[in-house]
């Protein structure tokens, strides 16, 4: 609630799901659950603390489903060294690389699964 603040909200007439899931409601929910009065996301701090789009890390992979609404917040280019962050993109939804393959999977998803598998082999079996 306070680090990223990327609320998936909807307003009357804008969503097929909920008409009353607006940002004000979601912020109020965060205030109530975490007991943070006047809660506001601090994305500037989050980006500075974690590196934003230039994250410096090792053994990290971002998998980006292009139909996933969260993909807009992800890393789409491998940051410059010394970072060893990798990414892969596929034409499917959230976490699709974790779901069993089918004959109907787009080629990008099949390739991303292989990319993730190779990454995990490299990281886990060093």
């Amino acid at each position: 609630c306070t680090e990223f603040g990327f609320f998936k909200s909807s307003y009357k007439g804008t969503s097929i799901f909920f008409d009353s899931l607006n940002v004000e409601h979601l912020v109020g929910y965060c205030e109530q659950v975490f007991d943070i009065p006047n809660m506001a996301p601090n994305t500037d701090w989050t980006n500075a603390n974690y590196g934003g789009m230039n994250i410096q890390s090792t053994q990290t992979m971002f998998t980006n489903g292009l139909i996933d609404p969260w993909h807009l917040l992800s890393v789409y280019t491998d940051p410059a060294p010394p970072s060893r962050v990798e990414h892969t993109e596929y034409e499917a939804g959230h976490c699709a690389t974790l779901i069993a393959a089918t004959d109907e999977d787009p080629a990008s998803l099949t390739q991303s699964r292989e990319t993730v598998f190779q990454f995990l082999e490299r990281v886990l079996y060093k």
Side-chain angles (χ1 to χ4, degrees):
C1 286
T2 60
E3 289 186 358
F4 297 103
F6 188 71
F7 302 113
K8 296 304 293 174
S9 59
S10 63
Y11 291 84
K12 188 169 179 72
T14 65
S15 175
I16 61 170
F17 298 107
F18 306 101
D19 280 343
S20 61
L21 197 57
N22 56 49
V23 170
E24 297 78 15
H25 175 81
L26 294 170
V27 169
Y29 180 74
C30 288
E31 289 175 344
Q32 178 184 356
V33 169
F34 296 105
D35 195 26
I36 303 172
N38 304 310
M39 192 282 308
N42 191 348
T43 53
D44 290 336
W45 176 88
T46 301
N47 286 330
N49 189 56
Y50 296 112
M53 293 306 230
N54 193 28
I55 186 171
Q56 297 298 305
S57 181
T58 61
Q59 301 178 346
T60 304
M61 173 172 271
F62 289 89
T63 60
N64 302 314
L66 299 177
I67 302 174
D68 179 357
W70 302 104
H71 82 277
L72 298 172
L73 301 176
S74 192
V75 172
Y76 278 92
T77 57
D78 298 338
S83 181
R84 292 179 39 217
V85 172
E86 300 177 41
H87 79 286
T88 185
E89 300 171 18
Y90 51 89
E91 296 165 326
H94 188 71
C95 294
T97 53
L98 302 175
I99 298 169
T102 71
D103 293 337
E104 297 178 15
D105 290 343
S108 61
L109 177 56
T110 301
Q111 178 57 52
S112 286
R113 282 192 183 108
E114 181 61 28
T115 299
V116 170
F117 181 78
Q118 290 172 2
F119 171 81
L120 290 172
E121 275 190 321
R122 200 170 54 250
V123 169
L124 297 174
Y125 299 111
K126 274 187 166 182

